[in-house]
Amino acid sequence: MLALAVLCAGMLMIVLDGSIVTVALPAIQADLGFTPAGLTWTVNAYLIAFAGLLLLAGRLGDLIGRKKVFVAGLALFTAASLLCAVATGQGMLIAARFLQGVGGAMASAVSLGMIVTLFPEPGERGRAIGAFSFVGATGASIGQVLGGVLTEVLNWHWIFLINLPLGLTAALLAVRVLGADRGPGLRAGADSLGAVLITSALMLGIYTIVGTGESGWTSDRTLGLGALSAVLLAAFLWRQARAAHPLLPLRMFRSRNVSGANAVQVLTISGMFGFQILVALYLQNVLGYGAAATGLAMLPAAVAIGAVSLLLSARLNARFGERSVLLAGLALLVAALGLLTRLPADADYVVHLLPTMLLIGGGGLVLSGLTALGMSGASADDAGTASGLFNTTQQIGAALGVAVLTTLATSRATTLTAAGHSAADALTGGFRLAFAVSAGLLAVALLLTAVVLKPARPAADRPAAPAL
């Protein structure tokens, strides 16, 4: 269990950092003189490196040892956090954020793979995945609370300095606690061409997505770069079908549950990550909340997700099966987002927002079920690759959700302003449209789960998996 605690601690640090920065962006902009467009690169630089390298990092873990990649990732992430904290200029902060993304990808990509190999018995694995999902689900909301408090009480530099004790402790414990795992070595499966193709395709694709806010979805830049990214991805798939030692064995996609879970995750994370960003913007820009108050307003969602993840998800998965629990969780999320489509410009928190925050607890059922299904086809030899794939689709979903939903909200608000609506009413109208689309994405995920994913026997009725 100590090994699981170390993996969860590393995950917590990375997830916290992803959300803690969003609350501090106005303070960073004021201190370093960022333009609005330049400010987005403090987030985009991290996201491009993180999402682009997950699959490669997962495969490297399979080949040279997941423990080595995990510890190296934590060390790099911690060192980059120190560089972020002492940054005195825009270029230095953006470069340090890119390095954080590299370290975060290395540590995240192999974490689930290590859980699969550490806990081969279905019941134990379910509880371990539930704990890991709890950290990922609640860490984002806790990060917003912590980011607001640190920024207002101290300054934005502390949102990065807090990573130092966490990262150093997790790395030192990982060296001592995690068992050594030796992969077959780079020569046994170093698909260098495949690595270049997929890393280029993912980085370029994420770069294209995050840039749509400035250039638009139908601009020459977006269409051209998007087409190039698609060509690189197609070339990567062609390479994987023919390589003796593919970076991503295409046989993994033969499993309906693995393929379906990754597709459902893109839709689910798109809706939920967009919700997280948009609710924070609504609270600050429409209701006038400060950074700390915004974080506290999101806290009930974190508590609800945490309680469901830790106390219910593993038991329900064991009794009813991951697919059934996933369906129930998605239904709760659809209801939660549906309530937000009727938000007024002068909302009362208890009446209009608190019910949604509590229903968001369904995310605790969704994330654990998706994780279990997404890793269900992983073997000891490719657990890191499966973990990298699962984390990659998660990041693609996050990038798409933020890009699409914020664009829709902004466009709708602009239209309403031109029609004579007040600023508050126009912004609220834009957010309502985005929340409606979020609910639609989750509804499609619910339908896809019902149609594509196969029911499995509850874990309590399955024989124990062979040791890996």
Side-chain angles (χ1 to χ4, degrees):
M1 293 303 292
L2 188 54
L4 176 62
V6 170
L7 294 174
C8 287
M11 179 66 173
L12 177 63
M13 179 181 67
I14 293 167
V15 172
L16 278 175
D17 188 83
S19 62
I20 204 171
V21 173
T22 60
V23 180
L25 286 177
I28 294 174
Q29 181 179 15
D31 189 26
L32 298 184
F34 276 104
T35 64
L39 184 66
T40 62
W41 284 101
T42 61
V43 176
N44 294 345
Y46 177 88
L47 185 59
I48 290 170
F50 190 93
L53 293 171
L54 279 167
L55 193 56
L56 176 58
R59 184 55 178 161
L60 286 176
D62 290 335
L63 294 175
I64 66 174
R66 298 178 197 109
K67 177 181 177 179
K68 292 179 181 178
V69 174
F70 181 75
V71 173
L74 288 181
L76 178 57
F77 189 92
T78 305
S81 296
L82 178 59
L83 291 177
C84 289
V86 300
T88 56
Q90 299 177 13
M92 182 177 178
L93 180 60
I94 291 173
R97 288 286 288 163
F98 185 90
L99 289 177
Q100 269 193 315
V102 176
M106 293 171 66
S108 298
V110 296
S111 296
L112 281 173
M114 285 191 281
I115 288 177
V116 168
T117 55
L118 283 170
F119 300 95
E121 193 275 321
E124 289 185 351
R125 181 182 294 183
R127 289 188 289 272
I129 287 177
F132 193 79
S133 299
F134 157 75
V135 170
T138 59
S141 296
I142 294 173
Q144 289 187 316
V145 178
L146 193 58
V149 172
L150 288 174
T151 302
E152 290 193 1
V153 175
L154 298 171
N155 56 58
W156 66 266
H157 298 277
W158 284 90
I159 68 172
F160 297 110
L161 287 173
I162 197 173
N163 291 334
L164 301 187
L166 288 174
L168 289 173
T169 301
L172 291 174
L173 286 176
V175 172
R176 299 188 61 180
V177 172
L178 298 179
D181 57 328
R182 295 184 178 180
L186 293 176
R187 293 184 179 180
D191 179 15
S192 301
L193 177 58
V196 171
L197 288 171
I198 190 58
T199 302
S200 300
L202 289 173
M203 282 192 168
L204 184 59
I206 298 297
Y207 173 78
T208 303
I209 292 170
V210 299
T212 55
E214 298 178 44
S215 57
W217 287 92
T218 58
S219 67
D220 291 341
R221 173 196 177 278
T222 299
L223 295 177
L225 293 179
L228 179 56
S229 177
V231 169
L232 290 170
L233 180 60
F236 168 74
L237 294 175
W238 177 86
R239 168 69 179 175
Q240 299 313 287
R242 289 158 177 78
H245 301 287
L247 182 68
L248 176 62
L250 297 184
R251 56 177 168 76
M252 294 177 63
F253 295 102
R254 295 174 188 167
S255 167
R256 285 177 58 179
N257 281 352
V258 171
S259 299
N262 278 282
V264 169
Q265 178 169 236
V266 171
L267 293 167
T268 302
I269 298 300
S270 291
M272 292 309 299
F273 199 78
F275 151 80
Q276 184 181 21
I277 299 298
L278 293 170
V279 165
L281 290 174
Y282 170 80
L283 290 170
Q284 294 187 44
N285 296 340
V286 177
L287 299 187
Y289 283 34
T294 297
L296 291 173
M298 302 286 286
L299 188 58
V303 173
I305 292 172
V308 171
S309 297
L310 272 185
L311 303 178
L312 293 177
S313 62
R315 296 178 182 178
L316 294 176
N317 284 333
R319 182 171 183 180
F320 300 107
E322 291 89 355
R323 176 180 176 272
S324 298
V325 175
L326 178 56
L327 287 169
L330 286 170
L332 289 173
L333 294 183
V334 171
L337 270 296
L339 290 176
L340 295 182
T341 61
R342 301 178 63 84
L343 273 180
D346 57 348
D348 179 271
Y349 178 80
V350 174
V351 174
H352 298 105
L353 288 163
L354 185 58
T356 288
M357 297 299 174
L358 297 177
L359 286 173
I360 289 296
L365 302 178
V366 170
L367 294 175
S368 61
L370 274 178
T371 303
L373 291 167
M375 295 297 295
S376 61
S379 67
D381 293 332
D382 56 21
T385 302
S387 176
L389 173 64
F390 190 75
N391 281 286
T392 297
T393 57
Q394 186 177 84
Q395 294 304 312
I396 290 173
L400 281 171
V402 172
V404 172
L405 296 175
T406 54
T407 299
L408 288 173
T410 301
S411 177
R412 177 62 174 164
T414 301
T415 300
L416 291 174
T417 300
H421 291 264
S422 67
D425 286 337
L427 287 171
T428 303
F431 290 133
R432 283 202 297 255
L433 173 62
F435 291 139
V437 174
S438 295
L441 290 171
L442 290 163
V444 175
L446 178 64
L447 178 62
L448 193 61
T449 299
V451 173
V452 174
L453 299 186
K454 296 187 298 182
R457 281 185 297 166
D461 299 333
R462 295 180 218 155
L468 297 176

